[in-house]
Amino acid sequence: MATIIEPTIFELSSAGRRGVRMPASDVPVVDSLPQHLLRSELPLPEIAEVDVVRHYVNLSKLNYSVDSGFYPLGSCTMKYNPKINEDTCRYPGFLFSHPLQPIETVQGNLALMYELQEWLKEISGFAGVTLQPAAGAHGEYTGVLMMAAYHKLRGDSKRIKMLIPDAAHGTNPASVGMMGMQVVTIPSDDRGNVDLKALEAACDDTVVGMMLTNPNTLGMFDENVEKVISLIHGCGGLMYGDGANLNALLGIVRPGDLGFDVMHFNLHKTFSVPHGGGGPGCGPVGVSKTLLDFLPTPLVGILEEGNDEEAPFYGFVTPPNSIGRMKAFHGHFGGGMVRAYTYIAMHGPDGLKDIAQYAVLNANYLQAKVRGHYKIPFDRICMHEFVAEGRFEGSDVRALDVSKRLMDYGFHPPTNYFPLIVPEALMIEPTETENKDTLDKFADALIKIAEEAKTQPELLHNAPSTTKFGRMDEVKAARELVLCCWLPENVELN
Ligand SMILES: *Cc1c(COP(=O)(O)O)cnc(C)c1O
């Protein structure tokens, strides 16, 4: 039997208890549903409001969040989410609008979306932006669809290969795989850049393009990025930028200016939309002039120009060679777009630049503090994150042990075993929102753990010891997924 330690809301149920009382109906009751669609029994828990509240509050306290502590999960940009975002996205005009309302009744929402498109264009240097995609990976898929549509329209049907560096996020090859294209892996050189010789050898007229994350998942800005882009363009390919790491570049470098043709943004990373609990993500995609006509439909556009007295009239427009719709309605409006809009408006251009500079400063500060205690395989000035190795000479301690031990010190672990090209990788991204005290305490914990790895490795092997649950069997958890904690009575787990 599976051990389910917290009672579920169903187990707390007791016949006759009530959380809500419905008022008596003040309209005649009509029995219009056909009998076969009615259920005679509905097994809902019977439980009082106070017990429901305690149940969920106690469950939430078992969780770790960026609101409860430092969360250096590399590549994920777990920055603090300012609470003003929560106020604005709950304004009744945003909260209670419906995507099927006539456009003249939602001009404010459309104005916000239009302005967000314009701001993202200005921040990234692209010619057009769609807000539709639901997350980064969905943005990638959208971008790759546009790249394919571009080649197809030109009658260039040989192109089936996408070049992807070995430092890429797993979603890149996955998006390409979903398109039925071939992935060609390009190695990194010893400075963590794309290996130019290997790239040159792979560039030919069967190449759709390349997907490059810059800064990449090693936290390195590719020193030859312009050369890489010109090689791809030279063989007729298009350049995709994975913009998940835009936090390092805000206000400093614009991917569109570097020559990228298409890039997704992760509003839920760079622009402080809360994530990690399953959504809502928001993965807008920016394109250069080359791909402007292929953007998904609909985009928000100005249907009638405004003047001194009247605001413009907003509505929806369809690009001439649009790849079609990528999402029901218009994407994650309230949860994603309103929050990101608030964040950008609050910071302004200078504030955005500060964000990037502090994110890079914080990562370099941490890297400098742990240097000498941990091996740093690509050891140069990093961007918003860096990768260290969680292994030590003469010790059988692994990155996983280091991470679990960090939990005993009260910290969320960094990303483990990614990127794949670094053995026992610990990928550390502090973000700009952490102060020096927090960074110092985290560095001290890492340094202490490196000491323990040599002197008391069992402390690490047995960690975590201060959490409610100890070391999990991660293989079993992955192989025998249990996705609901409540099982109907006749189902047994073993
Ligand atoms: C997070 C991330 C993605 C995927 O974004 P999702 O919103 O999680 O789909 C892609 N690439 C990189 C580098 C990332 O960090």
Side-chain angles (χ1 to χ4, degrees):
M1 241 334 255
T3 356
I4 295 163
I5 292 157
E6 293 299 315
T8 68
I9 200 93
F10 291 90
E11 288 164 310
L12 294 173
S13 173
S14 176
R17 286 195 188 145
R18 285 185 154 221
V20 279
R21 273 171 219 284
M22 305 299 280
S25 174
D26 57 359
V27 292
V29 178
V30 191
D31 266 341
S32 56
L33 279 182
Q35 204 54 38
H36 72 278
L37 292 180
L38 291 174
R39 277 177 288 186
S40 57
E41 254 180 73
L42 196 56
L44 291 175
E46 297 180 65
I47 184 165
E49 181 177 313
V50 58
D51 297 317
V52 175
V53 168
R54 284 181 188 156
H55 176 69
Y56 286 111
V57 167
N58 287 331
L59 277 186
S60 78
K61 286 197 286 193
L62 295 178
N63 213 346
Y64 190 97
S65 75
V66 75
D67 285 350
S68 57
F70 184 52
Y71 207 137
L73 197 64
S75 207
C76 295
T77 313
M78 305 304 287
K79 62 170 71 182
Y80 174 71
N81 311 126
K83 296 305 168 244
I84 188 175
N85 294 355
E86 303 311 304
D87 287 346
T88 55
C89 77
R90 285 172 179 77
Y91 285 171
F94 295 140
L95 194 59
F96 297 117
S97 54
H98 190 281
L100 292 179
Q101 264 175 255
I103 55 171
E104 54 276 16
T105 66
V106 286
Q107 284 295 304
N109 298 17
L110 294 175
L112 181 142
M113 291 171 75
Y114 184 82
E115 215 160 300
L116 183 58
Q117 287 171 189
E118 293 299 305
W119 286 352
L120 293 177
K121 278 158 65 176
E122 186 179 339
I123 288 167
S124 61
F126 285 112
V129 164
T130 169
L131 302 173
Q132 263 182 47
H138 194 205
E140 290 170 28
Y141 186 59
T142 305
V144 178
L145 273 172
M146 285 189 270
M147 293 163 82
Y150 164 85
H151 291 306
K152 189 170 171 208
L153 193 75
R154 292 164 57 247
D156 196 348
S157 57
K158 298 191 293 299
R159 297 186 181 267
I160 46 160
K161 288 185 198 153
M162 187 72 84
L163 312 184
I164 302 185
D166 58 4
H169 195 267
T171 49
N172 292 186
S175 302
V176 167
M178 280 182 70
M179 289 287 300
M181 294 174 182
Q182 284 172 24
V183 174
V184 178
T185 305
I186 307 294
S188 305
D189 69 15
D190 55 11
R191 287 184 63 76
N193 298 319
V194 170
D195 185 315
L196 287 177
K197 278 216 179 68
L199 181 63
E200 247 166 290
C203 279
D204 61 24
D205 62 359
T206 63
V207 166
V208 176
M210 179 175 197
M211 294 180 88
L212 180 70
T213 315
N214 194 32
N216 65 19
T217 57
L218 296 163
M220 302 282 120
F221 190 90
D222 197 300
E223 296 162 305
N224 311 313
V225 62
E226 285 167 304
K227 174 88 184 146
V228 169
I229 295 175
S230 75
L231 277 171
I232 295 298
H233 285 162
C235 70
L238 293 169
M239 196 67 195
Y240 187 100
D242 179 328
N245 294 338
L246 194 67
N247 212 43
L249 306 184
L250 289 175
I252 296 173
V253 181
R254 305 198 311 166
D257 296 342
L258 290 174
F260 284 92
D261 298 293
V262 47
M263 182 192 86
H264 76 262
F265 304 78
N266 294 62
L267 299 193
H268 47 293
K269 293 178 183 172
T270 313
F271 299 109
S272 83
V273 173
H275 69 296
C282 202
V285 175
V287 293
S288 67
K289 282 207 180 73
T290 318
L291 292 176
L292 204 49
D293 290 348
F294 297 89
L295 280 169
T297 185
L299 300 171
V300 179
I302 292 181
L303 302 189
E304 273 167 53
E305 289 295 340
N307 54 39
D308 288 348
E309 272 119 60
E310 285 211 52
F313 186 74
Y314 299 95
F316 296 112
V317 294
T318 297
N321 301 318
S322 175
I323 54 166
R325 186 179 267 288
M326 291 304 295
K327 180 91 179 73
F329 300 121
H330 311 296
H332 292 153
F333 173 71
M337 298 170 207
V338 177
R339 285 178 170 131
Y341 180 96
T342 308
Y343 183 76
I344 297 172
M346 178 170 73
H347 283 90
D350 294 340
L352 291 182
K353 191 171 174 178
D354 278 349
I355 288 170
Q357 288 178 333
Y358 282 111
V360 171
L361 180 63
N362 279 0
N364 277 286
Y365 180 71
L366 267 186
Q367 180 175 244
K369 287 209 89 165
V370 304
R371 184 180 284 128
H373 303 275
Y374 289 80
K375 185 174 172 206
I376 297 169
F378 297 90
D379 194 0
R380 57 178 168 100
I381 298 275
C382 66
M383 294 288 107
H384 60 302
E385 64 192 358
F386 68 98
V387 180
E389 290 183 13
R391 57 176 184 172
F392 310 89
E393 231 163 76
S395 165
D396 61 352
V397 157
R398 310 176 58 213
L400 184 72
D401 302 316
V402 173
S403 282
K404 298 294 182 194
R405 184 65 177 151
L406 270 171
M407 295 166 78
D408 285 340
Y409 285 98
F411 294 107
H412 193 286
T415 297
N416 274 203
Y417 301 109
F418 174 69
L420 303 174
I421 52 176
V422 174
E424 301 298 326
L426 294 168
M427 185 197 217
I428 300 171
E429 178 180 10
T431 82
E432 72 283 0
T433 47
E434 301 303 327
N435 64 30
K436 182 169 173 296
D437 295 343
T438 303
L439 299 179
D440 284 337
K441 286 193 184 113
F442 179 70
D444 288 347
L446 273 178
I447 292 166
K448 239 187 235 161
I449 291 169
E451 237 6 86
E452 290 171 353
K454 290 162 208 157
T455 54
Q456 296 167 277
E458 67 290 348
L459 271 181
L460 278 72
H461 291 313
N462 297 330
S465 55
T466 57
T467 51
K468 183 167 171 104
F469 301 103
R471 183 76 67 104
M472 299 286 169
D473 182 338
E474 302 200 351
V475 175
K476 191 173 159 69
R479 295 233 168 111
E480 297 172 30
L481 275 184
V482 180
L483 294 176
C484 73
C485 64
W486 173 67
L487 295 168
E489 264 158 37
N490 54 351
V491 175
E492 281 232 338
L493 279 181
N494 40 52

